[in-house]
Amino acid sequence: MIRLDHVTHRYDDRVVLDDVDLELSERRIAVVGANGSGKSTFARLINGLIVPSQGSVTVDGLDTATQGAEVRRRVGFLFTNPEAQIIMPTVGEDVAFSLRRSGLPADQVRTKVAETLRALDLAGLEDRPSTHLSGGQKQLLALASVLVLEPDVLVCDEPTTLLDLRHTRQVHGILAALALQLVLVTHDLDLAADSDRVLVFDEGRVVADGAPGEAIAHYRGLVR
Amino acid sequence: MSLPLAVSGDSWLHRMPAGRKLLALLVGEVIVAAAARSVAAATVAVVVAAALWSLARVPVRTAWRSLRLILLVATLVGAAQWWYAGGAPAFVVTSQLVVAVAIAVLVTLTTRTSDLLDALDRGLKPLRHLGVDPARVSLTLALAVTSVPVVGGLLGELRQAARARGIRPGPVVLGVPLVVRTLQHADQLGEALAARGVDD
Ligand SMILES: Nc1ncnc2c1ncn2[C@@H]1O[C@H](COP(=O)(O)OP(=O)(O)O)[C@@H](O)[C@H]1O
Ligand SMILES: [Mg+2]
């Protein structure tokens, strides 16, 4: 369970999130809103990448401000740009890198890496240089490197914005099949409609929150 | 721009533990520098290096791509030496240069980056007492290895973006944006590392 308790966030003096108060327990939560409305800030708060200027954020009762490391062990994060998430020179090594400090023996690491790559349609590419993958495959690799850690919650900040239609569908399909809590920031309203709850952000506030139908209708109304 | 990446294979060199291989490389480099100083000794060094390469069964194309730069440099150095000092010293210097680089490249070609990192982790452990964090050193090296092609790619993008706007891409036009874009990339990568809990 993710809880934001009267969270206000400022960059310098500018308020970008204004008194956001939420309890998130649904399995699939979509976040929509205009550019600059505070979605990425909200997403980063959940993983403890930033801590709120005011209020508190907890995941399963763990405070991101004081127990950031434990929170990050539970909460995986997928960014928009796959280029900036890949660390190791080859596909297999990048996924294994996530397990570097797990203390698992090498053969178990290898098994886990192979399983994860298979689940993401990257089987057989272990030794491929990661820079030689297509943009869509790079994002699948970034997702593999997060999922191999078996997080309870996955936060994705516009994970398909840079992908072509085929890879967008593929990533969506994989995300939909995951057995974990998913917080998905997206501009894809079809995808948002497929979730249990939709949050609409506007100028740092949650202006609609509820079932996809109503919330998305409200968002369309804002744009008109 | 790209560094030679480990090639798969199961030769005796591929199977040798990374730590032992690094140590052997260190010893090899010292011997080449200190002992391969006569034509006979240099010839032995070249034969040994060539034997190691053929034992590793690196594909000829990969070998050529990995070594062509050092062969070019060595040819130039050798030609200059020949002119000034004569045939024997030219042969010795060229051989030392090529062998020293070739055995180092061979180690990177037959060892996975992650194994090299683990070996460095272990090798650097005694330096803990001096405040060196081995995991951090090896992570930095991994990032350096991965960043070479990334920065190469950024440069290519900038070059094309400049061309598309009718600007001739020279070092002055591209230098500053390349530095800025590289820093932006480093910033995003830093955030991704934090999200994966690397710093925790
Ligand atoms: N690191 C930062 N420093 C200063 N301002 C920022 C920073 N990150 C985001 N902002 C600003 O905060 C506001 C909300 O940004 P963001 O959360 O990224 O919105 P969204 O993801 O919805 O586009 C924007 O006006 C943006 O310019
Ligand atoms: Mg954003």
Side-chain angles (χ1 to χ4, degrees), chain A:
Chain A
M1 159 111 111
I2 301 164
R3 171 140 184 67
L4 281 81
D5 191 8
H6 293 285
V7 166
T8 294
H9 194 74
R10 296 185 199 86
Y11 288 115
D12 302 321
D13 277 338
R14 239 177 80 238
V15 173
V16 297
L17 281 185
D18 190 4
D19 195 30
V20 174
D21 197 58
L22 289 168
E23 257 180 28
L24 306 173
S25 54
E26 292 75 7
R27 262 185 27 105
R28 259 142 247 296
I29 294 153
V31 178
V32 299
N35 291 327
S37 57
K39 305 181 301 295
S40 293
T41 305
F42 169 76
R44 282 166 168 72
L45 279 167
I46 297 176
N47 170 278
L49 279 172
I50 51 180
V51 292
S53 316
Q54 248 168 277
S56 69
V57 179
T58 56
V59 178
D60 293 338
L62 299 166
D63 193 319
T64 59
T66 54
Q67 293 155 293
E70 277 101 301
V71 170
R72 278 186 284 282
R73 227 163 283 146
R74 272 157 217 248
V75 183
F77 200 109
L78 186 65
F79 293 83
T80 310
N81 183 1
E83 301 271 348
Q85 302 174 67
I86 295 168
I87 294 156
M88 293 294 276
T90 62
V91 170
E93 285 175 298
D94 194 64
V95 180
F97 177 84
S98 293
L99 298 172
R100 244 172 111 63
R101 282 186 308 171
S102 63
L104 288 176
D107 56 331
Q108 278 186 43
V109 168
R110 223 171 301 127
T111 313
K112 272 193 160 208
V113 169
E115 273 170 13
T116 311
L117 289 177
R118 204 172 321 121
L120 293 178
D121 260 355
L122 295 171
L125 298 182
E126 271 93 338
D127 294 324
R128 188 72 68 82
S130 31
T131 45
H132 290 188
L133 300 179
S134 73
Q137 285 177 322
K138 281 182 189 161
Q139 189 64 311
L140 291 171
L141 172 57
L143 183 55
S145 297
V146 175
L147 291 180
V148 76
L149 288 166
E150 300 172 19
D152 302 327
V153 181
L154 177 63
V155 180
C156 303
D157 189 1
E158 297 187 33
T160 57
T161 301
L162 298 177
L163 306 188
D164 65 22
L165 187 58
R166 191 170 74 84
H167 283 108
T168 298
R169 292 236 170 95
Q170 193 178 5
V171 169
H172 286 171
I174 289 165
L175 291 178
L178 291 176
L180 43 65
Q181 189 181 21
L182 181 69
V183 177
L184 177 67
V185 178
T186 183
H187 289 300
D188 187 328
L189 296 183
D190 290 337
L191 188 67
D194 217 18
S195 50
D196 305 320
R197 178 175 173 187
V198 175
L199 307 174
V200 182
F201 276 72
D202 190 37
E203 299 190 350
R205 288 171 174 276
V206 178
V207 294
D209 174 3
E214 295 158 43
I216 292 172
H218 186 98
Y219 179 49
R220 288 188 197 277
L222 285 180
V223 180
R224 222 164 265 135

Side-chain angles (χ1 to χ4, degrees), chain B residues 128-144:
Chain B
R128 273 248 163 83
H129 307 291
L130 302 174
V132 177
D133 177 356
R136 202 163 269 269
V137 173
S138 52
L139 173 64
T140 308
L141 283 173
L143 291 175

Side-chain angles (χ1 to χ4, degrees), chain B residues 22-71:
Chain B
L22 273 180
L23 205 62
L25 174 63
L26 199 67
V27 173
E29 296 291 2
V30 171
I31 292 177
V32 169
R37 301 190 126 164
S38 65
V39 170
T43 307
V44 171
V46 170
V47 170
V48 169
L52 286 173
W53 270 78
S54 67
L55 277 177
R57 292 195 292 268
V58 176
V60 175
R61 267 190 55 204
T62 311
W64 168 240
R65 274 213 312 267
S66 318
L67 292 177
R68 62 188 166 190
L69 184 64
I70 185 60
L71 288 174

